[in-house]
Amino acid sequence: MTVAIMAAGVASASAAGLTGAGSTLVAPLMANWINGFEIKEGIPVKYGSVGSGAGIAQITARTVDFGASDAPLTPEQAAACNGCVQIPWALTGVAIGFHIPGVKKLNVSGPVLVGIYTGKITKWNDPKVKKLNPGVHLPGLGITPVFRSDGSGDTYAFTDYLSKISPAWKTHVGSATSVQFPTGVGGKGNSGVTSTVTSTNGSIGYISASYLVAAGLPAAAVQNKAGKFEFPNLNNIEAAAAVVKKVPSNNKISITNPPKKATTAYPISTFTYGIVPHDAGQKGFLQQFAKYAITTGQKYGAALDFAPLPNVVKQAAQKAIGSL
């Protein structure tokens, strides 16, 4: 299935259909939503997989009918968007892909990832990495960290996690859709990071789980707060989301680095959001599409490593859709 890619300045849809833009993470799932929705409702939808940052910019400028972002709006973005509602409509994990010749299994921790992305851990046989991987022959190969060069919700989730792990990271780098990484090379979109990691010996990068699986790249197991090394599998993503007992009124939810009680949680899990303005001319169609995404559309998730929304989050999403 394909997602229609639009130019950045595309005009808003007419009554004939909807246009959206944003997250590359959600794009594979979005393609299924669009096909299913068109078959069910007969309403065409076009989606530009341009990155969360660009998606926020386009819905703020009202050049599309909806935006999509894996990062919730900042207070400044929410103000600029002038009455936008964010709807949590999908749940997945940001995987850590790697390319080390002869190594198919790798354990990493938050402190090791901070060390790699600050340039303090530069070789795969560094004692800190070896300690997490007993019995694995790690070569004295240089590490190439790969990051997103565009504004990205994956970057937000990854840096949100690192900010919770490291006060120094939080102070000097921070968490946002776009940050100044101390070291490494950039790739545009999930496809760009995936391609760079695939072609670069010694590389490591954060990649939406569905892209990593499609590319056949191995995923590192990431140590959670309970001390267990977990993969971005559906049950581990669900375990991270299960800590959500209440959703704030703005629907901003962070489930990175969940508490020890979430023993099997994958610690870089994230919700992803639809961003829809209150003053939308296509209000009825947008409500139909968003309702489809959080109900029938969830059936497409498992094959792409998207877990079902927890009931408390689904209820918050329904409330947000109803408020449009």
Side-chain angles (χ1 to χ4, degrees), residues 174-199:
S175 62
T177 55
S178 184
V179 301
Q180 189 67 47
F181 281 94
T183 188
V185 298
K188 187 175 181 181
N190 268 294
S191 56
V193 174
T194 302
S195 176
T196 302
V197 174
T198 300
S199 62

Side-chain angles (χ1 to χ4, degrees), residues 156-158 160-161 164 240 254-259 266-270:
Y156 170 79
F158 183 64
D160 183 50
Y161 169 67
K164 291 176 180 177
S254 173
I255 53 173
T256 56
N257 200 34
Y266 179 68
I268 322 179
S269 297
T270 185

Side-chain angles (χ1 to χ4, degrees), residues 306-321:
F306 283 83
L309 294 173
N311 283 334
V312 66
V313 176
K314 187 174 179 180
Q315 288 166 6
Q318 289 171 328
K319 184 177 179 181
I321 294 166

Side-chain angles (χ1 to χ4, degrees), residues 2-155:
T2 58
V3 177
I5 305 298
M6 304 177 304
V10 69
S12 184
S14 69
L18 298 173
T19 57
S23 164
T24 65
L25 176 149
V26 84
L29 181 58
M30 181 70 70
N32 285 273
W33 287 352
I34 288 171
N35 280 317
F37 183 69
E38 287 184 2
I39 291 168
K40 183 174 186 291
E41 303 293 347
I43 300 168
V45 182
K46 292 183 179 180
Y47 182 72
S49 177
V50 293
S52 295
I56 292 169
Q58 289 192 33
I59 189 57
T60 300
R62 303 296 195 265
T63 55
V64 290
D65 295 305
F66 67 91
S69 173
D70 321 311
L73 298 172
T74 65
E76 295 77 17
Q77 287 171 335
C81 206
N82 192 23
C84 287
V85 175
Q86 52 194 6
I87 303 163
W89 60 9
L91 166 65
T92 189
V94 176
I96 303 299
F98 63 94
H99 182 175
I100 310 170
V103 178
K104 296 299 180 187
K105 292 185 178 180
L106 181 71
N107 290 336
V108 296
S109 64
V112 160
L113 288 171
V114 169
I116 288 171
Y117 275 85
T118 53
K120 293 178 180 176
I121 295 176
T122 60
K123 300 283 187 183
W124 280 113
N125 62 353
D126 184 287
K128 292 184 178 68
V129 185
K130 289 177 71 175
K131 186 177 179 180
L132 302 179
N133 294 276
V136 177
H137 176 68
L138 291 165
L141 179 65
I143 301 174
T144 301
V146 186
F147 55 82
R148 286 282 290 275
S149 60
D150 55 326
S152 159
D154 296 271
T155 297

